[in-house]
Amino acid sequence: MLSLHDKTVAITGASGGIGEATARLLAERGAAVVLAARRSERIDAIAQNIREEGGRAATCVVDVTSAEDLQRLVATTVDQYGRIDVLVNNAGIAPISPLADLDTEGWSAMIDVNLRGMLNGIAAVLPVFREQGSGHLVSIVSVAGLTVSPSMAVYAATKNAVRTVHEGLRRESTDGVVRTTAISPGYIRTDLADSMGDPHLREQTRKNMDAVGIPPAAVARAVAFAIEQPHDVEIGEINVRPTAQA
């Protein structure tokens, strides 16, 4: 296991699930982490717990739909630790429903958080990566962007778009300054189902998570693996799912 003592990592959506697990694991391995989310009490409590266990952690209240909030996250990370080595774009929502339900508010919310939030992160951190001479963008995508299931068309579209943007950035980053990694989990045991408006879909998703979901820590380990690699080694995409589906 490589040490992450020389890494400073900002993580969006860090108030629970994958983001929290990633912050805890990276801090345990020596990285300095900045937890970002809308729930200030929650990220403050997680950061305090990390510090009590000997880790380095700070917080920044962020709504990823705000470009200014992402800029403040990057500035806070640099002010606190002197640089930002990695931005983990993890914030995401899934108010899924059949297209026939015409949930245009849910569609807009997924576009704003899942896609625009990631683009806001790129816009905020890319100039700093260029100025530093190195940086790593990690985004939590989804296997839903690879295989579209009923009721998940818009959610899958946003995740597919994130993957496309990542590939575009990878192809543009030919000077070795910026690395990119897209991590696509299957069902993860998180509270993502809480953002689903349809009670039937919400309950079915929870059952699927219980049946075949993997713990958030499994995704956190994939993030750590990608970050731990030497700068001249790029892990472009990692799919994280059970070896056997129930």
Side-chain angles (χ1 to χ4, degrees):
M1 183 189 303
L2 297 176
S3 170
L4 293 176
H5 280 281
D6 62 338
K7 300 293 185 183
T8 297
V9 185
I11 306 161
T12 67
S15 59
I18 294 170
E20 176 184 354
T22 299
R24 291 185 181 278
L25 178 63
L26 298 185
E28 180 183 318
R29 296 192 183 182
V33 297
V34 178
L35 291 79
R38 292 177 296 180
R39 295 184 287 176
S40 59
E41 298 87 353
R42 180 60 182 157
I43 55 176
D44 286 345
I46 297 168
Q48 177 63 27
N49 184 245
I50 289 173
R51 291 192 293 268
E52 289 171 352
E53 295 181 354
R56 295 176 292 162
T59 63
C60 184
V61 177
V62 167
D63 180 341
V64 297
T65 66
S66 166
E68 292 77 11
D69 279 13
L70 267 300
Q71 291 165 2
R72 183 161 45 80
L73 171 60
V74 172
T76 297
T77 305
V78 174
D79 289 345
Q80 186 80 21
Y81 297 113
R83 62 183 289 115
I84 177 169
D85 296 295
V86 185
L87 174 63
V88 180
N89 281 305
N90 168 68
I93 59 172
I96 63 173
S97 62
L99 290 171
D101 284 359
L102 302 180
D103 180 16
T104 56
E105 289 186 6
W107 300 348
S108 294
M110 283 187 280
I111 292 169
D112 285 344
V113 174
N114 300 352
L115 177 56
R116 197 184 309 279
M118 176 260 198
L119 290 170
N120 286 339
I122 290 178
V125 81
L126 203 56
V128 179
F129 284 170
R130 293 289 178 197
E131 184 179 350
Q132 292 175 166
S134 66
H136 193 171
L137 182 76
V138 178
S139 288
I140 307 302
V141 193
S142 173
V143 296
L146 298 172
T147 304
V148 183
S149 301
S151 303
M152 299 185 72
V154 178
Y155 176 76
T158 63
K159 291 301 187 177
N160 212 337
V162 169
R163 177 179 287 105
T164 299
V165 171
H166 253 270
E167 178 61 14
L169 181 59
R170 185 188 71 81
R171 289 176 179 267
E172 292 176 13
S173 302
T174 57
D175 57 3
V177 172
V178 179
R179 292 194 296 164
T180 67
T181 302
I183 297 179
S184 294
Y187 277 113
I188 306 295
R189 298 185 197 120
T190 70
D191 59 1
L192 187 67
D194 293 345
S195 66
M196 299 175 183
D198 185 305
H200 174 73
L201 285 173
R202 188 165 58 243
E203 183 59 28
Q204 185 59 51
T205 299
R206 285 173 177 157
K207 288 181 179 179
N208 290 339
M209 286 178 174
D210 290 340
V212 300
I214 59 179
V219 185
R221 288 193 294 272
V223 174
F225 173 76
I227 294 173
E228 286 171 341
Q229 303 310 307
H231 191 73
D232 59 350
V233 176
E234 182 176 61
I235 308 297
E237 182 162 359
I238 302 174
N239 291 343
V240 184
R241 54 185 128 188
T243 53
Q245 299 286 347

